[in-house]
Amino acid sequence: MNIIQDITYDIINSIQDKKGGSITILDMNHIESAPASKFIICQGRSTSHVSAIADSIREDLLDKHGLKPYNYDGYRNSQWVVIDYGNIMVHVFLPEFREFYNLEELWNDATITNIQDIE
């Protein structure tokens, strides 16, 4: 695996460890105007759950890869937290905000992979 695949794998594991769901990966390598090569999108059940998922991702990537995000935003309301790792941007939503912003439709020319929820 390359480093992007390793980081993607660890992000998905972090989300699943905190019982985040509806994980979708948008691969945008072939889209010139894309702000990143990958979006990883998921959702939590409450604002505290969204924050916990985002914290888990940040802590795990720091521990495993020594990787800090370039930036992150959304903790004030925790309805949509975005974490920017340069080539990978992670979006953690409440379900109604994910539906409203509908990034999967906005970037529908990306290669979309849905990850099955674990129980």
Side-chain angles (χ1 to χ4, degrees):
M1 269 198 271
N2 67 33
I3 189 67
I4 298 293
Q5 290 172 319
D6 288 346
I7 292 168
T8 300
Y9 177 82
D10 289 333
I11 290 169
I12 291 167
N13 281 336
S14 295
I15 294 165
Q16 291 175 332
D17 285 347
K18 290 295 180 187
K19 308 293 188 220
S22 300
I23 302 169
T24 302
I25 300 170
L26 304 183
D27 185 335
M28 301 183 292
N29 276 312
H30 61 282
I31 303 171
E32 283 186 33
S33 62
S37 60
K38 280 188 185 183
F39 278 5
I40 300 174
I41 305 167
C42 70
Q43 61 193 46
R45 297 178 302 276
S46 66
T47 55
S48 58
H49 191 214
V50 166
S51 294
I53 294 167
D55 287 344
S56 177
I57 294 164
R58 292 175 46 221
E59 291 165 9
D60 285 351
L61 291 189
L62 184 58
D63 289 346
K64 294 175 182 172
H65 300 278
L67 191 59
K68 291 181 181 179
Y70 292 107
N71 204 354
Y72 53 88
D73 195 20
Y75 277 96
R76 182 175 300 137
N77 295 324
S78 293
Q79 298 165 337
W80 173 12
V81 174
V82 61
I83 310 168
D84 180 359
Y85 286 103
N87 285 332
I88 300 173
M89 294 187 75
V90 184
H91 302 268
V92 187
F93 283 101
L94 284 175
E96 59 270 24
F97 287 87
R98 181 178 184 169
E99 187 176 323
F100 179 80
Y101 289 104
N102 199 2
L103 295 181
E104 292 93 337
E105 180 63 29
L106 181 65
W107 294 100
N108 67 0
D109 47 350
T111 303
I112 299 174
T113 304
N114 294 305
I115 306 296
Q116 185 157 350
D117 287 347
I118 57 174
E119 295 301 319

